[in-house]
Amino acid sequence: MTSLTSLQSDVNITNVTLQSALEVKPNETTIIHIEVHKGVFLFLCLLSLLENILVVVAIAKNHNLHSPMYYFICCLAASDMLVSISNLIETAAIEYNEPMVKMMDNIVDTMILCSLVTSLSFLGAIAVDRYVTIFYALRYHSIITQCRVVSAITGIWLASMACSITFIVFSDSHIVILCLIGFFISMLLLMLGLYIHMFVLARKHSQIIMAQQKGVRRGFSPHQAVAKLRGAITLTMLLGIFFVCWGPFFLHLTLIVSCPKHPFCREYFKYFNITFVLMIFNSIIDPIIYAFRSRELRKTLKDIVLCCSQ
């Protein structure tokens, strides 16, 4: 994002518009940030792009994967692709003259911001879908209907594009940064609340397993309990990775608004490039966690790879 770019010089990842939004101006002293080789960003972006394209193609090809959860996963993959594509576009544009680079700035910034908002939104949507699957299994298809899923997906994309354009237009205002931080915190709390509730249920079921192993029957299948326990562990892992990958960036935004002149904040700003690497890494790890753990999806991906290799 432009804000992202403000602390980058050699690595051209974001652009001038976002730069002005997140720019740190405590004084006239330049902040010397930790550099990450441009090739690292390009490699990560290409890897992310390849992974997420495979996910989208596999879900589109296999009709068994045409369900609400996989629709959300497909949209998450498309969202992650925006980060990779925007970085590749900007890398190509930098080879042209300055007017061309400036013309691409707003487009690239909008893509990055849209990816950020949609990623958070679809991560939340996946959490809600899994919550309903566990706690309202018998009513799942009446709650998560096709119409509601389509409406949610359409609404998320439209709202994300509107937010991205608004951020670019009012990039000089800290209010938009605060709104972005507030959105991140609200989505984090939502997922945290849902995952904790699911984990508590899984822990309860694990205790039932122990009781059954001791010969006490309580009418609950050990197989189901084990499955729910594994699911809760997976969800805990997802939340941890989500926080590790996105947390540093939003901490960066918070420090820009709250204490841009403080020595600690200025020291933290030096690591902005590493923060951005974590964001790109999240788009690489998402397909592995959300998609590749599915046996049906893995089978479809294997068929696609074998078909392409022949």
Side-chain angles (χ1 to χ4, degrees), residues 20-46:
S20 63
L22 304 186
E23 191 174 15
V24 180
K25 301 177 181 178
N27 51 45
E28 297 302 321
T29 304
T30 301
I31 296 177
I32 302 176
H33 56 276
I34 305 299
E35 294 185 12
V36 177
H37 195 277
K38 187 176 180 180
V40 173
F41 287 106
L42 291 177
F43 171 77
L44 293 177
C45 285
L46 289 173

Side-chain angles (χ1 to χ4, degrees), residues 15 89-90 93 99-109:
N15 49 68
I89 290 176
E90 192 165 23
M100 173 66 74
V101 174
K102 289 183 177 180
M103 183 179 70
M104 297 299 298
D105 276 344
N106 287 342
I107 297 176
V108 173
D109 281 344

Side-chain angles (χ1 to χ4, degrees), residues 98-149:
E98 187 174 349
M100 173 66 74
V101 174
K102 289 183 177 180
M103 183 179 70
M104 297 299 298
D105 276 344
N106 287 342
I107 297 176
V108 173
D109 281 344
T110 302
M111 292 173 64
I112 296 176
L113 285 169
C114 186
S115 172
L116 187 154
V117 177
T118 51
S119 291
L120 291 173
S121 299
F122 286 119
L123 287 172
I126 292 172
V128 171
D129 178 83
R130 294 190 174 186
Y131 182 86
V132 174
T133 300
I134 291 177
F135 288 95
Y136 302 96
L138 298 178
R139 297 172 52 201
Y140 176 83
H141 292 291
S142 62
I143 297 175
I144 309 294
T145 63
Q146 192 81 0
C147 180
R148 288 175 179 172
V149 171

Side-chain angles (χ1 to χ4, degrees), residues 5-77:
T5 329
S6 49
L7 300 180
Q8 293 181 235
S9 55
D10 298 326
V11 182
N12 186 31
I13 294 183
T14 52
N15 49 68
V16 178
T17 310
L18 283 176
Q19 207 170 19
S20 63
L22 304 186
E23 191 174 15
V24 180
K25 301 177 181 178
N27 51 45
E28 297 302 321
T29 304
T30 301
I31 296 177
I32 302 176
H33 56 276
I34 305 299
E35 294 185 12
V36 177
H37 195 277
K38 187 176 180 180
V40 173
F41 287 106
L42 291 177
F43 171 77
L44 293 177
C45 285
L46 289 173
L47 179 59
S48 170
L49 186 62
L50 176 61
E51 282 186 1
N52 287 288
I53 286 177
L54 285 174
V55 171
V56 172
V57 172
I59 293 176
K61 180 180 178 180
N62 190 339
H63 290 284
N64 293 331
L65 300 177
H66 292 181
S67 63
M69 184 185 73
Y70 287 104
Y71 291 152
F72 291 136
I73 289 177
C74 184
C75 289
L76 179 64

